[in-house]
C-alpha cells in the first residue's frame, strides 16, 4: 500500500467510521409538471474510480489474476526440480541458493490480499490514503483474496515450499495480517514468514523502510527462492531513485524473468509508477500530479 502524507488523518478516520459519502449536489432545474426545482446528487470526480471499479467488478481483472497464478503453478515443479533455479537478483543473494530449502516470496497487498474495499471507502469519502485509516482497515482483517492466489499458495505448501509474505505492512500489523491470511486459507508456517516494514536485517542498509532488498537478503540466507510475486516493480528489484528512466532500465535488464521467476499482478489503482511521474513529491496538489500524468502520455505513432 502506498504511504504518503495524509490529507486529513483524523477527519479521515471519523468519516470512514461514519460511512460519509463524498458527493456533489447538481441542480437540474424544473421538471415537467413539477412545482419546484429538482436536484440530483453526483459523485465527485475521483482519479481512482475507474481503476477500483475495474478491480472490483470486471471479469477481466479476475481472469488476469487467475491466469497469472495458474501459469506460475504450471512452472513450479520444474523450478523446484532445478537445484540452481533462483528468483533473487545477485545483489539480493548473499548465500548460494543450492541446497537451501525452497520458498516462494509474495507481497501481500494487491498481490495476495485485495484491499479494494478500503479504496472504495476513500473514493466515497473523498479522502486520500493515510496511515490511520489504513491501520484500521488492516485491524479489521477483512481483505479478500486476490483471485487465484490461495490456490497457488496452497499448492506450493503441499509441495513443501514455504510461502514467505514480504510486505510493507508494518511489524505491528503482523498478527492481524496473518490472521486475515489464515482465515482465507493461505498457508502460514509460523510468524517468521511475515517480513514487515521496519524489520531489521543485520549487515544491510537501505535508503527507506519501504525498500525490500534487505529483507530479500534475509530470505536469501535461508531459502532458495523459486518465484516472487508482486504488484510493484520494487517487489522484485529496487529502482533507485524511483524515476521512470530507472524503472525502464530495470525492465530492460530483468524483464525476461517475468513469466518465469517473477510474476506481476495488475494494480492500476496505486503504485510507485505514479509518483515516478512527479518526482515522488506527494505534497504536490492533485491537479499538478494529474498534469504530470497527462504530460507522460504518448500519442505518437
Ligand atoms: Mg503490493
Amino acid at each position: 500500500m502506498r504511504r504518503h502524507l495524509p490529507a486529513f488523518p483524523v477527519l479521515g478516520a471519523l468519516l470512514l467510521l461514519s460511512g460519509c459519502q463524498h458527493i456533489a449536489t447538481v441542480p437540474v432545474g424544473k421538471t415537467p409538471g413539477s412545482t419546484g426545482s429538482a436536484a440530483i446528487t453526483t459523485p465527485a470526480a475521483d482519479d481512482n474510480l475507474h481503476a477500483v471499479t475495474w478491480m472490483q467488478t470486471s471479469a477481466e481483472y479476475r481472469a488476469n489474476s487467475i491466469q497469472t497464478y495458474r501459469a506460475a503453478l504450471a512452472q513450479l515443479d520444474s523450478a523446484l526440480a532445478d537445484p540452481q533455479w533462483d528468483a533473487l537478483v545477485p545483489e539480493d543473494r548473499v548465500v548460494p541458493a543450492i541446497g537451501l530449502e525452497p520458498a516462494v516470496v509474495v507481497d501481500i497487498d494487491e498481490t495476495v490480499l485485495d484491499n479494494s474495499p478500503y479504496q472504495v471507502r476513500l473514493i466515497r469519502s473523498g479522502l486520500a490514503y493515510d496511515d490511520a485509516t489504513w491501520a484500521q482497515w488492516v485491524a479489521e482483517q477483512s481483505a479478500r483474496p486476490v483471485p487465484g492466489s490461495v490456490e497457488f499458495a496452497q499448492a506450493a505448501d503441499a509441495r513443501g515450499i514455504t510461502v514467505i509474505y514480504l510486505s510493507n505492512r508494518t511489524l505491528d500489523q503482523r498478527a492481524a495480517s496473518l490472521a486475515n491470511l489464515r482465515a482465507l486459507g493461505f498457508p502460514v508456517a509460523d510468524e517468521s514468514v511475515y517480513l514487515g516494514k521496519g524489520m531489521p536485517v543485520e549487515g544491510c542498509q537501505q535508503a527507506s523502510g519501504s525498500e525490500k532488498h534487505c529483507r530479500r537478503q534475509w530470505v536469501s540466507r535461508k531459502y532458495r527462492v523459486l518465484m516472487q510475486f508482486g504488484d510493484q516493480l520494487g517487489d522484485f528489484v529496487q529502482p533507485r531513485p524511483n524515476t521512470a528512466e530507472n524503472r525502464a532500465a530495470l525492465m530492460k535488464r530483468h524483464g525476461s524473468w517475468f513469466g518465469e521467476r517473477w510474476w506481476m499482478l495488475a494494480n492500476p489503482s496505486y503504485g510507485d509508477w505514479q509518483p515516478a511521474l512527479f518526482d515522488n513529491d506527494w505534497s504536490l496538489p492533485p491537479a499538478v500530479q494529474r498534469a504530470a500524468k497527462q504530460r507522460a502520455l504518448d500519442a505518437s505513432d
Side-chain angles (χ1 to χ4, degrees):
M1 181 59 63
R2 72 186 166 197
R3 306 201 179 276
H4 58 271
L5 290 176
F8 311 101
V10 176
L11 178 62
L14 293 173
L15 287 173
L16 291 181
L17 287 169
S18 68
C20 176
Q21 302 284 306
H22 185 58
I23 54 178
T25 301
V26 180
V28 293
K30 291 184 178 180
T31 54
S34 69
T35 56
S37 64
I40 59 171
T41 54
T42 303
D46 190 305
D47 289 349
N48 209 12
L49 174 62
H50 199 72
V52 174
T53 306
W54 183 73
M55 295 173 82
Q56 279 212 331
T57 69
S58 74
E60 288 79 359
Y61 169 72
R62 290 190 58 79
N64 189 276
S65 297
I66 289 169
Q67 75 184 7
T68 298
Y69 279 109
R70 188 172 292 164
L73 182 55
Q75 299 186 47
L76 189 59
D77 285 332
S78 62
L80 181 61
D82 180 351
Q84 302 206 41
W85 184 271
D86 187 46
L88 293 182
V89 295
E91 314 80 280
D92 290 339
R93 170 62 62 197
V94 295
V95 171
I98 294 178
L100 299 180
E101 293 294 313
V104 293
V105 173
V106 301
D107 167 58
I108 292 181
D109 297 313
E110 278 50 71
T111 296
V112 295
L113 291 186
D114 164 13
N115 303 289
S116 59
Y118 172 75
Q119 299 287 343
V120 171
R121 293 179 183 183
L122 297 182
I123 291 170
R124 288 182 172 169
S125 63
L127 298 174
Y129 168 90
D130 71 57
D131 288 344
T133 55
W134 172 250
Q136 178 188 327
W137 164 254
V138 170
E140 291 174 24
Q141 304 172 25
S142 299
R144 309 157 174 172
V146 169
S149 61
V150 175
E151 294 79 1
F152 176 86
Q154 290 179 346
D157 182 62
R159 288 162 170 78
I161 300 166
T162 301
V163 180
I164 304 286
Y165 300 93
L166 204 171
S167 171
N168 278 338
R169 292 185 174 207
T170 54
L171 290 177
D172 65 356
Q173 292 169 337
R174 181 199 310 258
S177 300
L178 293 183
N180 197 160
L181 289 163
R182 283 194 183 100
L184 295 172
F186 287 99
V188 178
D190 55 50
E191 291 211 336
S192 73
V193 299
Y194 178 92
L195 311 184
K197 181 180 178 182
M199 171 183 165
V201 178
E202 192 175 344
C204 186
Q205 300 289 325
Q206 60 189 26
S208 78
S210 60
E211 290 188 4
K212 293 185 168 180
H213 78 276
C214 285
R215 285 171 280 170
R216 285 192 287 265
Q217 287 191 9
W218 183 92
V219 173
S220 82
R221 297 178 191 280
K222 194 173 178 183
Y223 297 102
R224 180 166 69 92
V225 178
L226 305 184
M227 294 178 175
Q228 296 197 83
F229 294 78
D231 66 304
Q232 309 286 326
L233 189 57
D235 292 331
F236 307 90
V237 62
Q238 191 64 44
R240 283 197 203 87
N242 181 45
T243 63
E245 294 75 19
N246 283 345
R247 296 167 66 80
L250 286 174
M251 278 304 294
K252 191 172 182 181
R253 181 177 172 193
H254 299 293
S256 65
W257 281 24
F258 285 103
E260 292 184 350
R261 299 164 202 250
W262 295 352
W263 301 87
M264 186 74 84
L265 281 298
N267 181 3
S269 175
Y270 66 89
D272 285 343
W273 57 270
Q274 188 179 182
L277 302 176
F278 46 83
D279 296 328
N280 303 290
D281 186 358
W282 283 110
S283 70
L284 292 171
V288 178
Q289 297 177 20
R290 194 175 301 126
K293 286 187 270 189
Q294 287 276 1
R295 285 195 300 275
L297 297 177
D298 182 0
S300 61
D301 293 335

